[in-house]
Amino acid sequence: MAANIIDGKVIAADLRAQVAGEVTRMKRDHGLTPGLAVVLVGNDPASEVYVRSKHKQTQAAGMASFEHMLPADVAQADVLALIAELNADAAVHGILVQLPLPKGLDTEAIIAAIDPAKDVDGLHPYNAGRLAGGLSALSPCTPLGCIILTKSVHSSLEGLDAIVIGRSNLVGRPLVQLLLNENATVTIAHSRSRNLPELCRRADLVYAAVGKAEMVRGDWLKPGATVIDVGITRVPTTEGKTRLIGDVAFDEAMKVAGAVTPVPGGVGQMTVACLLVNTLRAACAISGLPAPKV
């Protein structure tokens, strides 16, 4: 029996609709419009696509969208000056600096300059520290999306064995903290882990976030496991075109797992939706309003 496909498009659309409903209520009851500012440095094609998508979905949710495009050779001081302006702007509740930044810019210093209350990417050391301490914090969007996708299959993650393959600050490490907050039992694995297939076979929940195409094979999986594939790699086809594949061998996983996210159409759909959630939450917190029901 084939696994169920976890449809990120449908789940993300539902989440965006919930956010839009909360934004409408905030405007009506409090005269408040959540605002998201995105800073794009340079002209990386993939980043430009992401930023366009964020702008479109922010506006569709009824939020204010502020875009700031800077040249690749911009001075570090100018980026920091822009962030200072956005920190002080009452119309801006969320600030996102699109990564990766061009060489020559200090990414850590730029992220650290963002007001933690407006850090909707969840990368500021303050938010990362609070998350690691089990405290409430703005969490990185992709890991947050992974949890929501998992909960579309399991109403509770308590006591489930989870493995996170990949230890990046963007996905792996914060995802571990979110899973611990859900009372899952978590193993974090990486390129130097021994017996990785054996570690995977113990897991009820498998999160693959290493950026290595089809690394996780079907025989690595415990029958009935839920598999969340964060990876995305563009590979050539025999027709001379390209296609996107994930870190999991999808066809193999479908024969063993209980539920699998596709690539594309899985985790990627959730990342921008969760960015809207974080912006909404930040707007409420900054304005002293109760947390939204999203």
Side-chain angles (χ1 to χ4, degrees), residues 36-40 51 54 66-69 94 96-98 275:
L36 172 65
V38 176
V39 178
L40 175 62
V51 168
K54 289 166 183 171
F66 308 98
E67 290 186 331
H68 297 271
M69 309 295 189
L96 183 147
V97 177
Q98 184 66 42
L275 174 64

Side-chain angles (χ1 to χ4, degrees), residues 76-166:
Q76 174 98 1
D78 291 338
V79 180
L80 294 175
L82 173 59
I83 290 173
E85 287 178 23
L86 297 174
N87 285 341
D89 189 341
V92 173
H93 303 97
I95 301 170
L96 183 147
V97 177
Q98 184 66 42
L99 302 178
L101 290 169
K103 291 179 181 178
L105 293 176
D106 184 339
T107 299
E108 286 187 17
I110 288 170
I111 296 299
I114 297 171
D115 180 347
K118 298 186 178 186
D119 168 40
V120 287
D121 235 359
L123 297 178
H124 192 284
Y126 176 85
N127 283 318
R130 286 187 62 86
L131 184 61
L135 303 172
S136 62
L138 288 168
S139 306
C141 302
T142 300
L144 191 57
C146 289
I147 296 294
I148 294 170
L149 290 172
T150 309
K151 285 187 165 182
S152 74
V153 180
H154 305 272
S155 58
S156 171
L157 310 188
E158 185 169 340
L160 295 179
D161 283 314
I163 186 166
V164 176
I165 310 170

Side-chain angles (χ1 to χ4, degrees), residues 162-185:
I163 186 166
V164 176
I165 310 170
R167 52 181 170 176
S168 72
N169 290 335
L170 282 171
V171 181
R173 293 174 192 262
L175 179 53
V176 167
Q177 304 301 333
L178 290 173
L179 286 164
L180 289 173
N181 290 348
E182 296 290 337
N183 296 315
T185 301

Side-chain angles (χ1 to χ4, degrees), residues 183-205:
N183 296 315
T185 301
V186 190
T187 298
I188 185 163
H190 44 80
S191 59
R192 295 182 184 162
S193 297
R194 296 179 183 177
N195 304 322
L196 187 53
E198 292 180 24
L199 292 174
C200 279
R201 289 187 198 107
R202 300 199 314 236
D204 304 301
L205 312 173

Side-chain angles (χ1 to χ4, degrees), residues 44-67:
D44 177 73
S47 292
E48 288 178 344
V49 170
Y50 288 140
V51 168
R52 279 198 299 272
S53 174
K54 289 166 183 171
H55 176 68
K56 182 178 178 182
Q57 293 191 33
T58 302
Q59 289 189 317
M63 296 182 179
S65 178
F66 308 98
E67 290 186 331

